[in-house]
Amino acid sequence: MNIELQILHWFQGLHNPVLDKIMIAITSLGNAGAFWVLLTILMLIFSKKSKKMAWTSGVALLLSLIVVNLILKNTVCRERPCWIDDSVKMLIKIPKDFSFPSGHSSASFASAVSIFLYRKREGICAIVLASLIAISRMYLFVHWPTDVLAGILLGITEAIVAYFIVRYVYKRFIDKAVKSA
């Protein structure tokens, strides 16, 4: 944990009024997966070409919610860095749930990688935003680096699993129904 605390303290050395506001805004996009959920809903409503991608993102976000927020956080029960070291001035409200793994990182990468699997260019933009959200969690002193890394890896895995689930459902049910009609 010592090296992780050193990394987090290094991030604290980057603080300045402009970057603080940017990081607060970036992290807020990941609150409850709000940006990614909204993006998924918009893709489902407004884009016929993006249905599979949107469903993949939706399934990946659901997997993230279940695996990270309902199972792992409550099983591992890891304390957040801001709970252990209260010398750091907090710029956001201190979260009440446990730290491992990062839900912001998991949800962001689950959706971003889902997009990448279908559309590389848009997916790269989404992965850049997901990366910024993940970094913001360390900058804001609410997650350990290993929380963020685990969240990223879980998000990638959730996207890949969701991709195969959606592909199976489309092949098994939807494509057959369209051919029969």
Side-chain angles (χ1 to χ4, degrees), residues 2-22:
N2 190 25
I3 187 130
E4 289 196 86
L5 199 53
Q6 289 174 4
I7 292 168
L8 293 179
H9 282 228
W10 177 82
F11 275 107
Q12 298 312 299
L14 300 176
H15 281 256
N16 65 66
V18 173
L19 193 52
D20 288 354
K21 288 180 181 174
I22 291 169

Side-chain angles (χ1 to χ4, degrees), residues 8 11-12 134-145 148:
L8 293 179
F11 275 107
Q12 298 312 299
I135 290 167
S136 76
R137 304 308 284 167
M138 293 181 288
Y139 181 93
L140 295 169
F141 207 66
V142 291
H143 276 294
W144 301 100
V148 170

